[in-house]
Amino acid sequence: MATVTFDTLEYTEQLKAFGVPDDQAKGHAKAISGILQQVEESRLKELATKGDIELVKGDIELAKAELRKEIETAKVETIKWVIATGIVILGGVAAINRLVPPAPAFYAAPHTSQEMRLPALPRQPGDGQPGFGR
């Protein structure tokens, strides 16, 4: 970072050229020099050092590790809840099936007098059936 340079002698000479007395010109130069020095010091205090940056990086890495741990814990908890919920649902379905069985019509054979059969195909001569001249 560039520092501000202030030439007090040149400033004093410029003030004298405009008719400012020597003692007043030197006082102005000293006052402005002090103000500029204070500004520069406050700017330097606001700058981050390499140590500051490394400290922040360390804090970030620590926060990342903690978040990863929390995410893993959340994953495990979510899996537990999904499995437990599935078991509860299956148990509920089994209980409902036990308490309220389906209607018997679903298990019994049809009560019709006719059975479903394919119609017999007519015999053709030469198909190897007895009585057709082979």
Side-chain angles (χ1 to χ4, degrees), residues 82-106:
V82 167
I83 290 172
T85 303
I87 290 170
V88 168
I89 290 172
L90 289 175
V93 169
I96 289 172
N97 270 344
R98 213 167 174 94
L99 295 173
V100 183
F106 291 114

Side-chain angles (χ1 to χ4, degrees), residues 63-121:
K64 281 183 182 179
E66 289 175 3
L67 284 174
R68 284 187 187 109
K69 182 179 176 184
E70 289 179 18
I71 289 170
E72 284 301 317
T73 302
K75 282 181 184 178
V76 169
E77 289 298 317
T78 301
I79 290 170
K80 285 180 185 178
W81 275 101
V82 167
I83 290 172
T85 303
I87 290 170
V88 168
I89 290 172
L90 289 175
V93 169
I96 289 172
N97 270 344
R98 213 167 174 94
L99 295 173
V100 183
F106 291 114
Y107 296 114
H111 296 293
T112 60
S113 59
Q114 291 183 334
E115 293 182 20
M116 298 270 304
R117 292 187 183 190
L118 293 174
L121 295 174

Side-chain angles (χ1 to χ4, degrees), residues 14-127:
Q14 287 179 359
L15 287 176
K16 284 186 205 178
F18 286 108
V20 176
D22 185 49
D23 290 340
Q24 286 183 2
K26 286 180 183 178
H28 280 278
K30 188 174 181 179
I32 290 178
S33 177
I35 291 170
L36 290 174
Q37 187 175 2
Q38 287 177 356
V39 169
E40 187 68 21
E41 287 173 2
S42 68
R43 281 183 35 202
L44 288 175
K45 287 179 184 176
E46 292 176 3
L47 293 177
T49 64
K50 287 183 180 180
D52 294 337
I53 293 171
E54 291 302 318
L55 182 63
V56 170
K57 284 182 181 179
D59 290 345
I60 289 172
E61 290 303 318
L62 181 63
K64 281 183 182 179
E66 289 175 3
L67 284 174
R68 284 187 187 109
K69 182 179 176 184
E70 289 179 18
I71 289 170
E72 284 301 317
T73 302
K75 282 181 184 178
V76 169
E77 289 298 317
T78 301
I79 290 170
K80 285 180 185 178
W81 275 101
V82 167
I83 290 172
T85 303
I87 290 170
V88 168
I89 290 172
L90 289 175
V93 169
I96 289 172
N97 270 344
R98 213 167 174 94
L99 295 173
V100 183
F106 291 114
Y107 296 114
H111 296 293
T112 60
S113 59
Q114 291 183 334
E115 293 182 20
M116 298 270 304
R117 292 187 183 190
L118 293 174
L121 295 174
R123 292 186 183 177
Q124 299 291 326
D127 65 358

